[in-house]
Amino acid sequence: MPHAHAADLKIDSAMTLNQVRVGCDVQIRVLSGPGCDRLRDLGFCEELQVRKLAGGRNLICSICGTRMAISRELAEQVIVSPVQ
Amino acid sequence: MSATPDGPSLIALIGNPNAGKTTLFNALTGANQHVGNYAGVTVAVKSGHTYTPHGRKVRVLDLPGCYSLRANSPDEKVALDALHGQLPGEPVPDLIVCVVDSSNLERHLQLVLQVIELGLPCVLALNMIDVAERNGLRLDPVKLSEELGIPVIPMQANAKRGIVELKQALRLPRPIAPVTTWTHLHDDPETGRRLFINQLCELVARRPNAHQQTTSDRLDAVLLHPVYGWLALIGIFFTVFWAIFSFAEIPMHWIEAGQGSFGKWVESLMVEGDFRSLLVDGVIGGAGGVIVFLPQIVLLFLFIGLLESSGYMARAAYLMDGVMAKAGLSGKSFLPLFSSYACAIPGVMAARTIHSSKERLVTIFVAPWMSCSARLPVFFLIIPLLMHENEGSWKQALTLFAIYGLGTATAFIVARILRGRLGEDISPGHFLLELPPYRTPQWGYIFRHVLDRAMSFVKKAGTIILGLSILLWALSTYPKSNSSEPAEALAHSAMGRIGAVIEPVVKPLGFDGRMGTAILTSFAAREVFVSSMAILYRVEEAENEEQTRNQLRDKLSAATWPDGRPIFTPLSLISLLIFFIYALQCLPTSAVVARESGSWKWALGQFLFMTGFAYAASFLVFQAGKLIGF
């Protein structure tokens, strides 16, 4: 499945959703990993903006005005960068 | 396709979880299906009828919510099968109504595009338009319809707005929408869809500010807080239990008073004899003894309905995920297990939403240990016997809380052991849960749901429990002895003889033959225990209601072994409680477990394990207690 190429990313600014500070707005760059189909179904699609609302065992994110709780393992598969 | 020229004959509602499919289904068909503010309330296909504006009858299918057509869990598979016409006895639907939450178009349109790609005629129902408007979202249904190539109907199903328009749209010509619009955007269909949705939402759904602080955000700041969140969770659930105990007392007084005077009235009308005894002791005493617990059951279902409908249940699942993980389960198991506090049957059904098949099996296995409402009558009979007369109701609530805690804790331990033995899933499932916005509860649906449950309880009291009451009365009355001493008459009766046979089995648990017999009858339905005890201990209607209420308890406290020791010591009562916490005494549950787990062996194993466990636990508690000197 073709994803955005690694070269498209600014390596210095890319991080996983787990590494984002609570309260920050970020933009999804790439989804990679076994859970990415499931994440896309739920609306975690490339280029969408996400706000992380809570960290911990499970993360809470606001995406398109909906709050979703996802596990750390899934959040690890969401590569984000700061909103441009 | 079997569509007639003038309209569809079968339509199916599909959409993401919590988009309001069931609310729309109820609005269309006038049905009272249960609606919740929680993903996965509908786990099976429901069917109903509606009429077009021209009076043509149309069948409507309400499908379980799904995020995509990939079918990750059994309930999503059901929805997919329905679309392909693969459900037994169902043809391919003539028209698909895609229900979306219009405040969430970006996410919900994913599924809509996939449905359009199937090549079936579609109509898009833009539901919850009021929420979108309140959020300041500017929607353009006409543009959306042009871009997608399908009719788009803005609506608010819970206020019945847009229903007429939707029915009109059923008659519109239904060309198959062109899918090339997004398939040519990219080689990968997934990416193509995403690009198309992004473009589309730019055009038709302008968001003023994606991240404004809503009331839900402010509530969540407290209710999901690592400290306050837990305090709130414990507070809410303790309040629920306390309220069940204290609020229910008032209507219970009325029922008891009514039942007492009704018994007196019947007694005064008839002459002394077997038939009067059958009516007063068997029918009124037996079935009535169970009906008294109706207020508590109504309250329990009311509170569960409130929690579900307001959106708090998803928060509780989120908070509980960490706790459930200790049992090898996830937050997804929380709703099935919590629903089992009301009744294990909806609980076992709700386990369909769990993606991991092994976690689902384990959840089904332990669900009956979440004390269901059918156990409440038994607990309410026993707990006051353990207490002094003037103890506050909070102490009883605390005991009840402890009973629930014991069942739950054991369930978790067994779940953990079982989960370890079943091994890891082939594809690891991850915790994923939508936290819906808090909503004002839909009182109409909650009340109708509670009424349904109450009616089914009353029906059960009127059929199974009434039948068993009459049978028990007959068994404990015949064959008659010549003795006028009630105790001797009972010993001579069939029931007395059964009791004598059972007594050696239950004596190590601290029970006498009559309790053993009552327990035996309660394997048909737990509540029967109370009426069995009332019949076996020959409780009669007293002069006033207060006496009637306490008579069974008084009789039980006064009961003795032949050597004069009281039967109902605190220790034997605790042993009895333990037995009822653990025993699986519900045939309908076993039937549902067999169906949902797909194997009779699983259901039979569960029954044997739980009943054996109950016996062993009661035995240990009673014998250990005796050794310590209670």
Side-chain angles (χ1 to χ4, degrees):
Chain A
M1 194 174 285
H3 294 300
H5 295 290
D8 296 344
L9 291 172
K10 289 188 190 124
I11 302 297
D12 54 337
S13 63
M15 52 189 161
T16 72
L17 200 50
N18 281 322
Q19 294 161 314
V20 177
R21 281 216 333 266
V22 170
C24 285
D25 287 331
V26 289
Q27 194 165 23
I28 300 177
R29 288 282 154 226
V30 181
L31 298 175
S32 69
C36 62
D37 280 349
R38 195 86 195 117
L39 282 166
R40 281 206 190 86
D41 293 344
L42 285 159
F44 283 83
C45 291
E46 283 87 346
E47 282 164 53
L48 282 184
Q49 278 194 20
V50 186
R51 173 178 285 187
K52 185 164 163 180
L53 296 172
R57 204 194 128 72
N58 291 305
L59 284 78
I60 301 180
C61 310
S62 163
I63 186 156
C64 308
T66 310
R67 273 167 301 275
M68 303 285 314
I70 62 170
S71 65
R72 285 192 76 82
E73 292 82 35
L74 279 174
E76 198 62 37
Q77 301 170 18
V78 183
I79 314 293
V80 295
S81 68
V83 180
Q84 280 135 12
Chain B
M1 238 169 282
S2 59
T4 45
D6 54 341
S9 56
L10 179 65
I11 64 176
L13 307 180
I14 192 163
N16 283 26
N18 227 5
K21 290 174 298 300
T22 305
T23 311
L24 177 58
F25 178 78
N26 287 343
L28 277 175
T29 62
N32 306 323
Q33 292 299 344
H34 181 39
V35 182
N37 188 11
Y38 186 94
V41 169
T42 306
V43 290
V45 177
K46 302 199 175 99
S47 151
H49 287 102
T50 190
Y51 293 89
T52 64
H54 289 80
R56 246 175 49 79
K57 200 169 174 183
V58 179
R59 223 152 65 77
V60 188
L61 296 181
D62 181 22
L63 307 183
C66 44
Y67 288 106
S68 76
L69 295 182
R70 262 191 287 273
N72 285 295
S73 62
D75 55 325
E76 290 187 0
K77 176 111 183 17
V78 167
L80 191 61
D81 285 350
L83 288 189
H84 289 301
Q86 282 166 352
L87 286 185
E90 298 287 1
V92 176
D94 303 315
L95 179 72
I96 315 284
V97 177
C98 293
V99 187
V100 297
D101 173 354
S102 38
S103 60
N104 256 311
L105 270 188
E106 292 93 330
R107 295 179 48 244
H108 288 203
L109 280 178
Q110 284 277 354
L111 178 70
V112 177
L113 297 192
Q114 292 181 32
V115 173
I116 293 175
E117 283 170 23
L118 286 181
L120 293 171
C122 295
V123 169
L124 181 66
L126 268 186
N127 198 15
M128 304 194 205
I129 198 89
D130 56 319
V131 179
E133 278 165 6
R134 226 178 302 132
N135 290 352
L137 205 65
R138 288 208 303 278
L139 291 167
D140 186 348
V142 177
K143 186 83 188 145
L144 186 62
S145 170
E146 280 171 14
E147 293 292 324
L148 286 174
I150 59 173
V152 173
I153 319 290
M155 59 192 319
Q156 186 190 345
N158 61 356
K160 300 219 159 79
R161 261 173 70 190
I163 301 293
V164 176
E165 288 83 346
L166 180 66
K167 284 184 174 177
Q168 293 284 4
L170 300 183
R171 299 188 309 119
L172 295 177
R174 286 170 280 119
I176 311 288
V179 292
T180 46
T181 332
W182 58 88
T183 43
H184 78 258
L185 284 176
H186 201 278
D187 299 334
D188 174 37
E190 194 83 45
T191 321
R193 264 180 241 142
R194 176 170 53 77
L195 291 173
F196 180 69
I197 289 171
N198 287 356
Q199 286 174 12
L200 195 60
C201 289
E202 287 286 310
L203 276 173
V204 302
R206 302 290 304 166
R207 256 170 216 290
N209 175 6
H211 295 303
Q212 46 191 349
Q213 270 267 341
T214 59
T215 320
S216 287
D217 286 326
R218 281 188 287 272
L219 275 171
D220 274 344
V222 178
L223 293 176
L224 294 178
H225 189 273
V227 180
Y228 306 132
W230 280 103
L231 291 179
L233 183 86
I234 294 166
I236 286 171
F237 286 104
F238 189 78
T239 312
V240 166
F241 283 110
W242 172 82
I244 288 171
F245 246 115
S246 47
F247 292 173
E249 263 188 21
I250 306 156
M252 285 173 84
H253 272 298
W254 298 339
I255 295 176
E256 275 162 353
Q259 185 202 328
S261 39
F262 184 64
K264 287 273 138 221
W265 180 68
V266 171
E267 210 166 5
S268 68
L269 286 184
M270 299 171 73
V271 285
E272 169 87 49
D274 277 7
F275 189 58
R276 189 177 89 171
S277 165
L278 167 69
L279 280 186
V280 176
D281 298 340
V283 176
I284 300 172
V290 174
I291 288 291
V292 165
F293 298 100
L294 186 64
Q296 272 144 344
I297 284 154
V298 164
L299 278 174
L300 184 69
F301 278 105
L302 179 71
F303 283 118
I304 289 184
L306 268 180
L307 290 174
E308 225 173 58
S309 179
S310 63
Y312 185 73
M313 203 57 107
R315 273 73 182 179
Y318 168 81
L319 283 172
M320 290 299 287
D321 183 56
V323 178
M324 306 301 270
K326 295 205 168 51
L329 304 170
S330 79
K332 286 256 176 186
S333 303
F334 178 74
L335 180 78
L337 293 182
F338 188 80
S339 310
S340 303
Y341 283 132
C343 175
I345 293 166
V348 169
M349 301 264 295
R352 281 190 194 178
T353 55
I354 301 170
H355 288 258
S356 149
S357 57
K358 283 167 183 168
E359 185 185 335
R360 191 163 57 239
L361 274 181
V362 173
T363 307
I364 290 174
F365 191 84
V366 299
W369 270 352
M370 306 288 122
S371 285
C372 70
S373 54
R375 286 179 174 104
L376 279 177
V378 181
F379 295 155
F380 286 127
L381 175 72
I382 302 170
I383 293 172
L385 282 172
L386 275 169
M387 307 267 167
H388 292 291
E389 259 179 34
N390 296 320
E391 302 271 25
S393 62
W394 67 271
K395 241 183 187 169
Q396 299 196 358
L398 208 64
T399 314
L400 190 67
F401 210 67
I403 289 171
Y404 277 67
L406 184 63
T408 311
T410 323
F412 280 14
I413 294 166
V414 169
R416 183 169 182 103
I417 296 168
L418 200 61
R419 189 77 178 83
R421 288 185 66 102
L422 283 177
E424 274 305 305
D425 270 293
I426 307 147
S427 59
H430 290 295
F431 183 65
L432 250 176
L433 189 68
E434 191 175 330
L435 302 176
Y438 291 100
R439 287 185 194 137
T440 327
Q442 288 178 288
W443 291 104
Y445 290 124
I446 294 182
F447 282 134
R448 266 184 270 176
H449 179 59
V450 169
L451 196 70
D452 271 358
R453 305 306 312 185
M455 284 311 289
S456 77
F457 179 80
V458 171
K459 224 194 251 165
K460 203 162 145 197
T463 51
I464 301 178
I465 296 173
L466 181 65
L468 279 169
S469 295
I470 294 173
L471 183 72
L472 273 177
W473 170 86
L475 285 177
S476 57
T477 309
Y478 303 104
K480 291 207 156 188
S481 77
N482 297 323
S483 164
S484 58
E485 188 68 30
E488 271 176 41
L490 184 67
H492 188 78
S493 71
M495 192 54 87
R497 292 169 200 191
I498 296 173
V501 175
I502 294 178
E503 194 159 297
V505 182
V506 293
K507 207 168 175 188
L509 312 183
F511 311 152
D512 72 342
R514 284 178 288 185
M515 282 164 80
T517 318
I519 288 173
L520 201 65
T521 60
S522 69
F523 272 92
R526 295 179 176 97
E527 310 90 303
V528 175
F529 181 79
V530 176
S531 40
S532 304
M533 290 296 271
I535 292 165
L536 291 173
Y537 281 85
R538 292 279 168 174
V539 178
E540 279 155 30
E541 299 302 330
E543 281 299 317
N544 65 53
E545 65 202 71
E546 193 66 25
Q547 273 176 309
T548 316
R549 194 160 68 90
N550 291 322
Q551 222 189 18
L552 177 55
R553 283 170 198 147
D554 290 346
K555 282 246 176 167
L556 294 184
S557 331
T560 56
W561 292 100
D563 60 6
R565 283 178 299 123
I567 296 172
F568 291 92
T569 60
L571 187 61
S572 68
L573 286 172
I574 290 171
S575 167
L576 186 62
L577 277 180
I578 300 268
F579 189 85
F580 271 90
I581 291 172
Y582 291 131
L584 176 55
Q585 301 158 302
C586 181
L587 275 176
T589 301
S590 291
V592 171
V593 167
R595 196 184 70 204
E596 294 293 311
S597 64
S599 101
W600 269 105
K601 281 186 199 154
W602 194 257
L604 189 69
Q606 183 187 37
F607 172 78
L608 292 177
F609 171 75
M610 288 193 164
T611 308
F613 192 97
Y615 188 86
S618 289
F619 180 82
L620 280 178
V621 166
F622 188 72
Q623 296 302 330
K626 242 175 41 180
L627 277 181
I628 307 168
F630 274 103

